[in-house]
């Protein structure tokens, strides 16, 4: 099957736009979400917990994940 001469340049432009868009989004500074997620993860790990999804999809890690503390430490030494 032969592609019409008008369609081929348009397809090429579309492929280039997608390729350049993917390159432009890679390697930039971390997003606010990933920074907040990193902070939440380190805080939870420091408390000897693990992050567990809550089922919410709010775009805010503190609402989307809960720190579950495993092991139940004791106050008795």
């Amino acid at each position: 099957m032969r592609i019409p001469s008008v369609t081929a340049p348009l397809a090429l432009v579309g492929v280039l736009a997608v390729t350049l868009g993917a390159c432009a989004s890679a390697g930039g500074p971390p997003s606010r979400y990933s920074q907040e997620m990193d902070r939440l993860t380190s805080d939870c790990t420091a408390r000897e917990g693990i992050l567990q999804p809550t089922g919410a999809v709010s775009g805010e890690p503190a609402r989307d994940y809960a720190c579950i503390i495993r092991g139940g430490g004791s106050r008795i030494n």
Side-chain angles (χ1 to χ4, degrees):
M1 179 173 154
R2 187 177 164 138
I3 298 175
S5 62
V6 174
T7 307
L10 291 177
L12 180 61
V13 169
V15 169
L16 287 175
V18 170
T19 304
L20 291 175
C23 290
S25 65
S31 68
R32 185 187 65 79
Y33 186 91
S34 66
Q35 289 174 340
E36 180 67 17
M37 187 67 176
D38 290 344
R39 186 193 62 76
L40 190 63
T41 301
S42 65
D43 288 352
C44 186
T45 303
R47 294 171 34 204
E48 298 181 7
I50 59 170
L51 287 181
Q52 184 171 10
T54 62
V57 183
S58 68
E60 295 184 28
R63 291 184 182 172
D64 298 344
Y65 293 88
C67 182
I68 306 298
I69 307 299
R70 301 283 183 193
S74 173
R75 291 184 184 197
I76 301 172
N77 289 330

